C-alpha cells in the first residue's frame, strides 16, 4: 500500500523554540494532507486540513499562528510548532489522501518540549 | 455533523476467544466508516472500511465489521483473538460532503488486552 513518512520520529526541544515536522507521501501525490494531534490516552484530534498550493484550514481552537502549515508540493507538507511550550508536547500524526482512496497515515512524531 | 462513539474504553479477552469492539456513529450523510488499529509506538493501520457496498466488511488479520444502519452501529469482531491483536482500535467516520472530503472523525479508542 501507499506509504506516508514523517520526520523526525521524535524530537525534544527547549521551551520557546520552534520545531518543524515533515510529512511526505512517498509513492503517490496527495492533493490533501491532514494534521492530527494525539495526547496520551486520548483519541486523535484533527488540527488542520492542508491542500497543495492553498492556505490550510484550521479546526476550531487551533491557533494558526502557532501551528504553521505549509503544503508546497503534492508530496510534502510541513507543520511548524512555533514558540513551543510544554503543553504542546504530544504525538503529531499526518495523513495524506487523493480521493477516492482512503487516507494513509504517517507513523507519527513525538514532540517533547522541556 | 458527524460523531462516533466507542462504547468501551478497554476490552479484555483471553487468547482464542471472540473479540467484540463496539462502535456507534451519527452522520447527516451516508457515512464511510473505518476501523484503524494502533500498536504501541506505531502508526495507524487500516483494518477495514465500509463505503456503501456490502454491509458485512472483511478486513485484515481475520477482523470483520457489520454496518447496521437501523442501529447506527459498526461493531468490529474477530472469532478468535491472538496475542498480537493487543493494541488500540479506533472507529472512524469520514465526512463525504462539500470541500471537506477526507476529513475524519475518530472515536475515543478501545484498548484491547489479550490474556494468555
Amino acid at each position: 500500500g501507499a506509504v506516508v513518512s514523517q520526520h523526525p520520529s521524535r524530537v525534544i526541544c527547549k521551551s520557546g523554540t520552534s520545531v518543524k515536522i515533515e510529512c511526505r507521501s512517498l509513492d503517490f501525490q496527495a492533493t490533501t494532507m491532514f494534521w492530527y494531534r494525539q495526547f496520551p490516552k486520548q483519541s486523535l484530534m484533527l488540527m488542520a486540513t492542508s491542500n497543495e498550493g492553498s492556505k490550510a484550514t484550521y479546526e476550531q481552537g487551533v491557533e494558526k499562528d502557532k501551528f504553521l502549515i505549509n503544503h508546497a508540493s503534492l508530496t510534502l507538507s510541513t507543520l511548524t510548532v512555533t514558540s513551543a511550550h510544554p503543553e504542546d508536547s504530544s504525538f503529531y500524526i499526518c495523513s495524506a489522501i487523493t480521493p477516492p482512496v482512503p487516507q494513509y497515515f504517517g507513523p507519527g512524531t513525538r514532540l517533547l518540549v522541556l | 455533523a458527524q460523531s462516533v462513539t466507542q462504547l468501551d474504553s478497554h476490552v479484555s479477552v483471553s487468547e482464542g476467544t471472540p473479540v467484540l469492539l463496539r462502535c456507534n456513529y451519527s452522520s447527516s450523510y451516508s457515512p464511510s466508516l473505518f476501523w484503524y488499529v494502533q500498536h504501541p509506538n506505531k502508526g495507524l493501520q487500516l483494518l477495514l472500511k465500509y463505503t456503501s457496498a456490502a454491509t458485512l466488511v472483511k478486513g485484515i488479520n481475520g477482523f470483520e465489521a457489520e454496518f447496521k444502519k437501523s442501529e447506527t452501529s459498526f461493531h468490529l469482531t474477530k472469532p478468535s483473538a491472538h496475542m498480537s491483536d493487543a493494541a488500540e482500535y479506533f472507529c472512524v467516520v469520514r465526512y463525504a460532503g462539500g470541500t471537506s472530503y477526507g476529513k475524519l472523525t475518530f472515536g475515543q479508542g478501545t484498548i484491547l488486552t489479550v490474556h494468555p
Side-chain angles (χ1 to χ4, degrees):
Chain A
V3 178
V4 175
S5 70
Q6 283 184 240
H7 178 79
S9 58
R10 297 171 185 261
V11 57
I12 300 174
C13 69
K14 292 182 179 180
S15 185
T17 61
S18 296
V19 174
K20 180 185 284 188
I21 302 170
E22 293 186 347
C23 176
R24 293 182 185 271
S25 56
L26 298 183
D27 53 0
F28 69 104
Q29 292 185 324
T31 53
T32 303
M33 289 185 171
F34 299 88
W35 286 96
Y36 295 85
R37 181 168 53 188
Q38 185 181 27
F39 289 107
K41 301 187 186 302
Q42 294 187 29
S43 188
L44 278 74
M45 298 298 294
L46 179 65
M47 297 175 67
T49 303
S50 169
N51 292 297
E52 187 266 339
S54 62
K55 290 184 178 180
T57 302
Y58 291 81
E59 296 299 302
Q60 191 173 8
V62 178
E63 300 175 57
K64 63 180 181 180
D65 294 330
K66 181 170 183 63
F67 298 99
L68 301 179
I69 292 174
N70 183 283
H71 193 160
S73 75
L74 287 171
T75 60
L76 173 64
S77 176
T78 60
L79 168 67
T80 301
V81 183
T82 62
S83 187
H85 292 286
E87 58 265 30
D88 299 324
S89 299
S90 187
F91 193 50
Y92 292 86
I93 302 173
C94 74
S95 69
I97 188 171
T98 293
V101 299
Q103 290 187 31
Y104 291 97
F105 286 84
T109 296
R110 191 164 299 282
L111 170 64
L112 177 60
V113 184
L114 301 177
Chain B
Q2 59 188 31
S3 66
V4 59
T5 301
Q6 291 180 242
L7 301 174
D8 306 291
S9 59
H10 288 83
V11 170
S12 181
V13 300
S14 298
E15 190 174 22
T17 63
V19 175
L20 170 63
L21 305 183
R22 299 181 294 166
C23 172
N24 286 100
Y25 70 92
S26 67
S27 176
S28 302
Y29 300 84
S30 295
S32 293
L33 294 158
F34 307 82
W35 276 98
Y36 282 87
V37 59
Q38 186 180 35
H39 288 92
N41 300 314
K42 296 283 183 66
L44 288 157
Q45 181 182 19
L46 179 65
L47 277 180
L48 50 80
K49 62 184 179 188
Y50 166 77
T51 54
S52 77
T55 57
L56 181 62
V57 181
K58 293 186 183 299
I60 62 172
N61 301 335
F63 284 94
E64 61 181 39
E66 185 172 8
F67 174 72
K68 292 186 177 180
K69 186 174 181 179
S70 61
E71 299 177 8
T72 61
S73 69
F74 190 58
H75 301 335
L76 181 70
T77 61
K78 182 173 180 177
S80 176
H82 294 164
M83 296 296 290
S84 59
D85 294 328
E88 188 164 17
Y89 292 78
F90 292 97
C91 182
V92 180
V93 61
R94 183 175 72 191
Y95 180 70
T99 60
S100 299
Y101 184 91
K103 181 177 175 179
L104 300 181
T105 299
F106 281 74
Q108 300 89 331
T110 298
I111 296 174
L112 175 65
T113 302
V114 182
H115 298 288

